[in-house]
Amino acid sequence: MIPVVPIFQRNKEILHQLSSILDEERTAYGKLNSEVIIEIAKKKQILLDEMNQLNDKRTKILIKFGIFDKKAPSEEAFKHWLGLQDSSLDNVRLLMQECETLLKACKIKNNTNARVLNTLQKRNKSLYELLQGHSSKNKVYTAKGSTHPISSKHTLGRA
């Protein structure tokens, strides 16, 4: 028996935690609480680092048992091998499917959070330019070909 069940079980736990953290992150974006957002980013990084370590450990185990090619390990090779096995590995199949489902859900939440963050950044940039008296219409090209805003004499800071 290949000892990958504990790895998949821990991956499943991490993905549940990550899903929760992504929900917290979305709420923090809504409240614009930068301290909470930074703390959440640290938690996410810790979980992702642990997942990477587990993935490396699983890969080494599967190489050791000859399921993965040492030069080019692939998930498809493992899935193919798992599909050829008898029902004694049904628990591994189930755990793997649950992990894949949770991972897809986490990716969707993460992409949603990224879009929210992008929108917040654009809004903040626009507000900052407004405070400086810059307008997206008042830009000129520099010698290097990039654009540079022209400062207005009527900024909110000078009013």
Side-chain angles (χ1 to χ4, degrees):
M1 181 78 163
I2 299 173
V4 292
V5 172
I7 294 171
F8 278 116
Q9 287 172 333
R10 181 62 188 143
N11 270 336
K12 184 179 168 184
E13 292 169 7
I14 291 171
L15 288 166
H16 277 295
Q17 291 173 354
L18 188 58
S19 180
S20 252
I21 287 175
L22 289 167
D23 291 337
E24 289 176 31
E25 183 179 52
R26 177 86 184 263
T27 303
Y29 286 154
K31 294 179 181 177
L32 300 175
N33 190 336
S34 60
E35 292 171 3
V36 173
I37 293 168
I38 291 169
E39 192 61 38
I40 288 171
K42 290 177 185 176
K43 289 179 186 177
K44 281 180 15 179
Q45 190 60 52
I46 290 168
L47 290 175
L48 293 174
D49 288 345
E50 185 178 352
M51 279 188 72
N52 283 334
Q53 290 172 354
L54 287 170
N55 214 15
D56 290 343
K57 184 177 178 180
R58 183 177 60 93
T59 300
K60 288 176 184 174
I61 289 170
L62 294 175
I63 288 172
K64 181 180 175 182
F65 281 88
I67 297 165
F68 273 176
D69 179 17
K70 191 174 188 174
K71 295 179 183 175
S74 95
E75 284 299 312
E76 294 306 315
F78 178 63
K79 288 179 183 178
H80 176 72
W81 176 85
L82 195 57
L84 297 175
Q85 303 308 306
D86 61 15
S87 62
S88 66
L89 292 177
D90 282 348
N91 60 338
V92 176
R93 286 185 196 96
L94 181 62
L95 278 170
M96 190 170 170
Q97 288 172 349
E98 289 172 343
C99 287
E100 286 178 347
T101 302
L102 286 167
L103 182 61
K104 286 178 187 176
C106 286
K107 284 181 179 182
I108 290 169
K109 287 180 181 185
N110 193 52
N111 288 336
T112 300
N113 288 353
R115 287 194 306 271
V116 169
L117 181 60
N118 188 30
T119 301
L120 290 172
Q121 287 174 333
K122 285 180 182 178
R123 185 189 74 184
N124 288 342
K125 182 181 178 192
S126 296
L127 290 172
Y128 180 70
E129 287 177 352
L130 179 68
L131 286 171
Q132 286 187 319
H134 298 171
S135 169
S136 59
K137 296 176 185 173
N138 299 333
K139 291 188 178 183
V140 295
Y141 285 99
T142 64
K144 293 183 180 180
S146 60
T147 59
H148 180 68
I150 300 174
S151 206
S152 172
K153 293 181 181 179
H154 305 291
T155 64
L156 290 177
R158 293 184 184 161

